[in-house]
Amino acid sequence: MRARQPGQRRAPLSFAWRLMVSLGLVVLAGAVTVLGVALGVAPQIFGSHLRTAPGAPLEERVSAQVEGAFANAIVLSLGVAIPVGMLVAFAVSWLVAQRLGRSVAAVAVAADRIARGNLQARVEAPAIGPEFAQLADAFNSMAGRLAETESTRRRLIGDLAHELRTPLASLEATVEAVIDGVLPADVVTLDTLVDQTARLQHLVADMAAVSRAEERQLDLRPRVVEVASLASDAVLAATARFVAAGVRLELDIVGEPSKVRVDPQRIAEVLANLLDNALRHTPAGREVRVVVGPQRDTADDGVAMLKVTDTGGGFDPSDAERIFERFYRTDSSRTRTTAGTGIGLTIARAIVEAHDGTLTATSGGPGAGATFLIRLPRHPPARSDDRRAGLARRS
């Protein structure tokens, strides 16, 4: 056995040993308490019953001998029961401690694997109670989210590198051509450099915007406005672009006007992104429609609805969520654009969610058009007495 060096810290006991010792001390404390109470109280109670028993009172010598015999019986009984009970308690504690120790060790090992980069590490739910099963489920859920986040990060880096490659290559080629005398340093060449630089700046600005929006770090300045007013302003701002592209842009306001508490500039940015996305995917001669009002077949009176519907290329229904991912592209995807950075829908959803709303997309398939639905909490919310009245009417 290797001797412990001076100054070397003693290795701590394992969790199983510490738990077993703790439970053993509890059992020992309980046994000592029982023994002390029994010896202090039981003889007095027995003597009292003995003195009040029917028949002639016992002689003092006989009474003392009977009480002593009773005390000895208690001591012998507890002297046997306490060690046996402690042995059983230690055995049960050992089994429980071993199972708990293995479960805790498994979580620790899995956590260490995740810290070292193995995001596929998982733990099995131990059959020792719902609390530990809940802990295992929470750990596995956390590991899954970390793996998904890491996958998104890697894809984002790859997509961002791809997006940066084209303008950087164009800048490099143009500068080298000017240096080699192939291109003159005229206005056209300088305009090309300025355009590619602006594209890079636009990409960086959009990436910063979507990151702030997804992390709820937007500088929001909310105030109460009518949804119809927001839609009207967005349609008015986009009308010239739609006219130039030969696409009709219509605005429908259905039902009573709804008010929401939002940052008008941010929601205007959302609508501009949705309208630009619709315009890019809608051929000339067709239309894009903005609808403000209640959604059909909905019973949620506390939500204001705003839809942007087009008659363009549509998308596969299985891509309804993926089109909101950064730089996501498929041949039939709504995010394949001829201009922009390809994250306009990502920014739009992040801004809406920062206002405690939702932005969803639906389509009947390629060529069937698409609908983007914004749901925002109405202002003011339904009053409690209105809710009670509604419940009374339902009952």
Side-chain angles (χ1 to χ4, degrees):
M1 182 176 179
R2 187 174 61 180
R4 184 164 58 94
Q5 298 297 327
Q8 183 180 0
R9 296 182 61 183
R10 179 177 297 176
L13 293 175
S14 65
F15 172 78
W17 275 104
R18 295 199 306 272
L19 181 61
M20 190 187 70
V21 171
S22 299
L23 295 177
L25 291 176
V26 172
V27 173
L28 179 60
V32 172
T33 302
V34 169
L35 180 61
V37 172
L39 292 178
V41 176
Q44 302 296 330
I45 297 176
F46 178 78
S48 175
H49 283 288
L50 189 63
R51 286 188 294 272
T52 59
L58 296 177
E59 295 181 2
E60 183 176 354
R61 181 176 58 82
V62 176
S63 177
Q65 184 176 1
V66 171
E67 292 179 1
F70 177 75
N72 290 334
I74 290 179
V75 172
L76 289 175
S77 298
L78 291 179
V80 174
I82 288 176
V84 172
M86 290 189 64
L87 288 176
V88 173
F90 270 110
V92 174
S93 300
W94 172 255
L95 294 177
V96 173
Q98 287 297 314
R99 298 190 65 178
L100 290 178
R102 285 194 297 268
S103 300
V104 173
V107 173
V109 170
D112 182 68
R113 290 178 180 175
I114 289 178
R116 295 176 183 274
N118 181 11
L119 299 181
Q120 303 304 318
R122 300 292 187 273
V123 295
E124 296 183 359
I128 52 178
E131 294 82 5
F132 283 87
Q134 183 179 2
L135 174 62
D137 292 341
F139 182 90
N140 292 335
S141 177
M142 177 200 68
R145 288 195 296 270
L146 287 175
E148 182 179 353
T149 300
E150 177 64 14
S151 176
T152 301
R153 184 188 67 83
R154 292 179 178 177
R155 187 173 65 250
L156 173 61
I157 293 176
D159 292 339
L160 183 58
H162 177 76
E163 293 292 328
L164 290 172
R165 187 177 298 117
T166 300
L168 287 175
S170 178
L171 284 171
E172 182 181 12
T174 303
V175 172
E176 288 181 353
V178 172
I179 294 174
D180 295 339
V182 177
L183 288 178
D186 56 8
V187 176
V188 176
T189 302
L190 294 178
D191 285 343
T192 301
L193 295 175
V194 170
D195 290 342
Q196 296 304 321
T197 303
R199 184 176 178 183
L200 288 174
Q201 291 176 340
H202 189 195
L203 176 62
V204 173
D206 279 355
M207 290 301 303
V210 73
S211 296
R212 289 194 302 269
E214 290 180 339
E215 295 173 3
R216 297 295 184 96
Q217 294 181 355
L218 289 173
D219 182 18
L220 298 179
R221 299 179 181 180
R223 59 185 178 88
V224 179
V225 295
E226 288 189 356
V227 179
S229 176
L230 295 172
S232 299
D233 293 342
V235 168
L236 181 62
T239 297
R241 299 195 303 276
F242 277 77
V243 171
V247 179
R248 296 190 303 276
L249 179 59
E250 302 291 340
L251 173 62
D252 292 339
I253 300 177
V254 182
E256 298 181 358
S258 299
K259 293 184 178 181
V260 292
R261 182 175 176 80
V262 297
D263 185 331
Q265 298 297 326
R266 295 297 186 181
I267 299 301
E269 184 179 352
V270 171
L271 294 175
N273 281 332
L274 294 181
L275 290 174
D276 286 344
N277 183 73
L279 180 60
R280 286 193 295 269
H281 297 279
T282 304
R286 298 190 183 182
E287 73 171 14
V288 173
R289 187 174 296 273
V290 179
V291 181
V292 178
Q295 185 186 23
R296 184 173 297 177
D297 299 332
T298 182
D300 193 348
D301 295 332
V303 176
M305 308 287 185
L306 196 154
K307 292 189 291 185
V308 177
T309 303
D310 65 56
T311 53
F315 57 85
D316 192 309
S318 62
D319 291 333
E321 284 298 316
R322 299 198 67 187
I323 63 173
F324 292 101
E325 296 179 4
R326 306 178 186 182
F327 304 117
Y328 177 71
R329 279 166 171 66
T330 64
D331 290 340
S332 60
S333 174
R334 303 274 303 174
T335 57
R336 179 174 293 278
T337 64
T338 57
T341 58
I343 57 176
L345 295 180
T346 309
I347 295 175
R349 169 173 274 192
I351 292 175
V352 172
E353 290 180 347
H355 288 85
D356 297 324
T358 60
L359 172 59
T360 56
T362 56
S363 175
T371 298
F372 289 82
L373 174 63
I374 300 174
R375 295 163 57 92
L376 292 169
R378 290 179 57 185
H379 181 88
R383 295 180 301 177
S384 58
D385 53 349
D386 292 340
R387 295 194 188 98
R388 288 194 295 268
L391 291 175
R393 285 194 297 270
R394 294 190 187 98
S395 62

